[in-house]
Amino acid sequence: MKVNFDGAVFGESNKSGVGVVIRDNNGAVLASCSEKLSQAYKAEETETLAARKALMFAHELGFQRIILEGDALGLIQALKSQEQNLSPLGLLVGDVKLYSNHFQKVLYSHVKRNGNSVAHNLAKHAICIPDFQVWMEDVPPH
């Protein structure tokens, strides 16, 4: 399964949002979600929280072998790295790596922004929802 994620920051409302879409090997959407976060995090933090939500969502749905794909190159490189980073962002990245142990196999892949547009739109949609919304075998029409 390919799991795309993205984050968005809404500075004017002091909120952030994450979006996740899960597709099978034919590209068919199996599930998607948006979540509104209670504060405006830095962009790198929001992307990392989106990666963590993507793993949690995929695990809750029972997937065991995934490709986690996002457009934040630095984050994807950090997730692939074996080095430990004790900075606040490094600790968040470590949390994502730790959560990946719930799976049989996780591969990390970078995609350009235009290849991540569905997850990006789901992240932007988070500002319009109370807290968390899921769509099964679908994404919202926007």
Side-chain angles (χ1 to χ4, degrees):
M1 301 302 139
K2 185 164 69 168
V3 182
N4 286 77
F5 67 91
D6 205 3
V9 179
F10 313 110
E12 64 283 350
S13 60
N14 196 34
K15 305 281 185 216
S16 301
V18 300
V20 178
V21 61
I22 301 175
R23 294 184 177 97
D24 67 14
N25 57 351
N26 295 319
V29 174
L30 301 176
S32 60
C33 71
S34 291
E35 181 176 28
K36 183 164 48 176
L37 305 177
S38 61
Q39 71 183 61
Y41 294 96
K42 293 179 184 174
E44 306 85 28
E45 294 168 336
T46 304
E47 291 283 345
T48 308
L49 292 169
R52 185 177 70 176
K53 173 52 79 175
L55 287 176
M56 293 170 72
F57 188 52
H59 181 253
E60 288 170 7
L61 294 175
F63 299 115
Q64 288 296 310
R65 302 170 64 84
I66 65 168
I67 299 171
L68 187 64
E69 191 169 75
D71 59 18
L73 179 59
L75 173 58
I76 297 299
Q77 290 172 335
L79 290 170
K80 288 180 174 181
S81 173
Q82 299 301 316
E83 295 180 21
Q84 186 176 13
N85 180 341
L86 297 179
S87 73
L89 185 60
L91 295 174
L92 276 175
V93 170
D95 194 33
V96 174
K97 287 180 178 182
L98 187 62
Y99 203 89
S100 70
N101 291 332
H102 287 91
F103 297 86
Q104 290 176 6
K105 185 170 190 172
V106 176
L107 298 175
Y108 302 104
S109 175
H110 175 255
V111 64
K112 293 185 179 182
R113 164 119 356 190
N114 60 358
N116 207 34
S117 61
V118 174
H120 181 71
N121 286 329
L122 287 164
K124 290 192 319 185
H125 177 69
I127 196 68
C128 303
I129 62 173
D131 54 7
F132 183 68
Q133 192 165 4
V134 172
W135 298 267
M136 295 304 294
E137 298 181 358
D138 201 6
V139 292
H142 63 274

